[in-house]
Amino acid sequence: MYCVRKVTEDLYWVGGNDRRLALFENIHPIPGGVSYNSYLLLDEKTVLFDTVDWSICRQFLENIRSVLADRDLDYIIINHVEPDHAACVEEIILRYPNVKIVCTQKAAMFMRQFGFNIGEQVIEVKEGDSMSFGKHEMIFVSAPMVHWPEAMVTFDTTDGILFSADAFGSFGSLDGKLFNDEVNYDRDWIDDARRYYTNIVGKYGPHVQNLLKKASKLDIKYICPLHGLVWRNDFGYLLDKYDKWSRYEPEEKGVMIVYGTMYGGTEAAANDLATRLVKKGMTNVVMYDVSNTHVSYLISEAFKYSHVVLASVTYNLKIYPPMLNYIMDMKALNLQKRTFTLIENGSWAPQSEKLMHELLDQMKEMTILENEVSLNSIMKEDDSELMEATADSIIESMK
Ligand code: FEO
């Protein structure tokens, strides 16, 4: 059974949801599923915007058939080639052999590289090009590295619709809702949106800033991303989040404590520090066990909070492996501008503080507070003074 929704008078959402996939990109858990969005315009010509992941192709084809009724499909605009969006291009060509593919030169190259048989029916476009499909005129805006180098976004100047590719997307299935004003975004969506952005696009902040600058010149009335909700109002909320994330500015003053513990000693020290912070009035504190929290959640939280405490046991004279993985992921995703506090633990040769410090020094604009705590096996009464000073230094650095 087809399942579509109208976005505007002549634009339909024809995508679908995947609630079976455990790991997005085979890395990131998506317990709330994900949507793959595609849009179909009925103008003098019919125009499909991107396709969907192979997993929901059947639903997608039913959706297209129902909206087209007895019309042919004239064009597909491919904004982004990653297979969670372009996987069904060949299937569309098989069913609508007259269709023309509109995309960047690099997108055509990537599709052929992936083995898609896209034939010769490709119209290559570049920054600033435009096409008219009847009432609707589209302009094409390149958006390299948001999230791949071939990416572009398309702007419908007639209705003010930005087809934004991966930008402004989110994890999470739509569950019948489509528009941002049909959900409680702050309660139900922002954490998934942040986790999606920071883990998928987070590394490319300067490129996102470029796209935001270009978007600021457009009279946008709708944002139609390839994942998640369609935005039709309250753009300031979303643009502010994207601006902060892409400049690596924290959203909140607060302390994220991440601990790596084997037998509970390091965890107890982390609890002690958290308690001292809260007693001193800093109640915006969150704690995570690095061993049982997927790193994608830890990345997302590090983009949110201003201060990060890393408390790590020493393991084989190195940083505890899950903590090392987390730090390397923060480095890979280009996280910047955070204030760190380091706590190490070790029963005979604590090493993790020095090693964590060295890694953080390789990242941009990271501040490491001086009260570094070194524990032997467990925190003891004698360590209280240093832990108190550590809590004070964190609070002082927030002023
Ligand atoms: Fe949702 Fe970069 O693909």
Short mmCIF file of all heavy atoms in Angstrom, two decimals, residues 24 80 82 84-85 147 166 196 227, ligand 1:
data_model
loop_
_atom_site.label_atom_id
_atom_site.label_comp_id
_atom_site.label_asym_id
_atom_site.label_seq_id
_atom_site.Cartn_x
_atom_site.Cartn_y
_atom_site.Cartn_z
N PHE A 24 23.12 2.45 11.42
CA PHE A 24 23.21 3.34 10.26
C PHE A 24 24.68 3.39 9.83
O PHE A 24 25.57 3.57 10.65
CB PHE A 24 22.72 4.73 10.67
CG PHE A 24 22.60 5.71 9.54
CD1 PHE A 24 21.48 5.69 8.73
CD2 PHE A 24 23.60 6.64 9.31
CE1 PHE A 24 21.36 6.61 7.69
CE2 PHE A 24 23.49 7.56 8.28
CZ PHE A 24 22.36 7.54 7.46
N HIS A 80 22.45 13.91 -3.83
CA HIS A 80 23.48 13.20 -3.05
C HIS A 80 23.47 11.74 -3.46
O HIS A 80 22.41 11.11 -3.51
CB HIS A 80 23.17 13.37 -1.55
CG HIS A 80 24.18 12.79 -0.63
ND1 HIS A 80 25.50 12.59 -0.97
CD2 HIS A 80 24.07 12.35 0.66
CE1 HIS A 80 26.15 12.07 0.06
NE2 HIS A 80 25.30 11.90 1.05
N GLU A 82 25.20 9.06 -2.01
CA GLU A 82 25.42 7.98 -1.06
C GLU A 82 24.26 6.98 -1.19
O GLU A 82 23.10 7.36 -1.36
CB GLU A 82 25.51 8.53 0.37
CG GLU A 82 26.06 7.50 1.34
CD GLU A 82 26.54 8.09 2.67
OE1 GLU A 82 26.29 9.27 2.94
OE2 GLU A 82 27.15 7.32 3.44
N ASP A 84 22.34 5.32 0.58
CA ASP A 84 21.08 5.40 1.32
C ASP A 84 20.08 6.31 0.61
O ASP A 84 18.91 6.38 0.99
CB ASP A 84 21.28 5.83 2.79
CG ASP A 84 22.03 7.14 2.95
OD1 ASP A 84 22.83 7.48 2.08
OD2 ASP A 84 21.82 7.82 3.98
N HIS A 85 20.55 7.00 -0.45
CA HIS A 85 19.64 7.85 -1.24
C HIS A 85 19.61 7.49 -2.72
O HIS A 85 18.59 7.70 -3.36
CB HIS A 85 20.04 9.33 -1.08
CG HIS A 85 20.16 9.74 0.34
ND1 HIS A 85 19.08 9.76 1.19
CD2 HIS A 85 21.24 10.08 1.08
CE1 HIS A 85 19.49 10.11 2.40
NE2 HIS A 85 20.78 10.30 2.36
N HIS A 147 27.31 15.82 2.50
CA HIS A 147 28.32 15.23 3.33
C HIS A 147 29.42 14.56 2.53
O HIS A 147 30.43 14.13 3.09
CB HIS A 147 27.54 14.28 4.28
CG HIS A 147 27.99 12.95 4.58
ND1 HIS A 147 27.30 11.77 4.41
CD2 HIS A 147 29.15 12.58 5.15
CE1 HIS A 147 27.95 10.76 4.85
NE2 HIS A 147 29.08 11.19 5.29
N ASP A 166 21.70 15.91 2.79
CA ASP A 166 21.89 15.44 4.17
C ASP A 166 21.76 16.56 5.20
O ASP A 166 21.57 16.30 6.39
CB ASP A 166 23.28 14.81 4.32
CG ASP A 166 23.29 13.32 3.99
OD1 ASP A 166 22.21 12.71 3.88
OD2 ASP A 166 24.39 12.75 3.85
N TYR A 196 22.88 12.65 14.71
CA TYR A 196 23.03 12.48 13.26
C TYR A 196 24.06 13.49 12.72
O TYR A 196 25.04 13.12 12.07
CB TYR A 196 21.67 12.68 12.58
CG TYR A 196 21.77 12.81 11.08
CD1 TYR A 196 21.84 11.69 10.26
CD2 TYR A 196 21.82 14.07 10.48
CE1 TYR A 196 21.96 11.83 8.89
CE2 TYR A 196 21.94 14.21 9.11
CZ TYR A 196 22.01 13.09 8.32
OH TYR A 196 22.14 13.23 6.96
N HIS A 227 16.70 12.98 5.32
CA HIS A 227 16.31 12.19 6.51
C HIS A 227 15.54 13.11 7.44
O HIS A 227 15.89 14.28 7.61
CB HIS A 227 17.53 11.70 7.29
CG HIS A 227 18.50 10.86 6.52
ND1 HIS A 227 18.26 9.55 6.20
CD2 HIS A 227 19.74 11.13 6.05
CE1 HIS A 227 19.31 9.06 5.55
NE2 HIS A 227 20.21 10.00 5.44
FE1 FEO B 1 22.09 10.11 4.13
FE2 FEO B 1 25.33 11.07 3.20
O1 FEO B 1 23.71 10.08 3.13
#
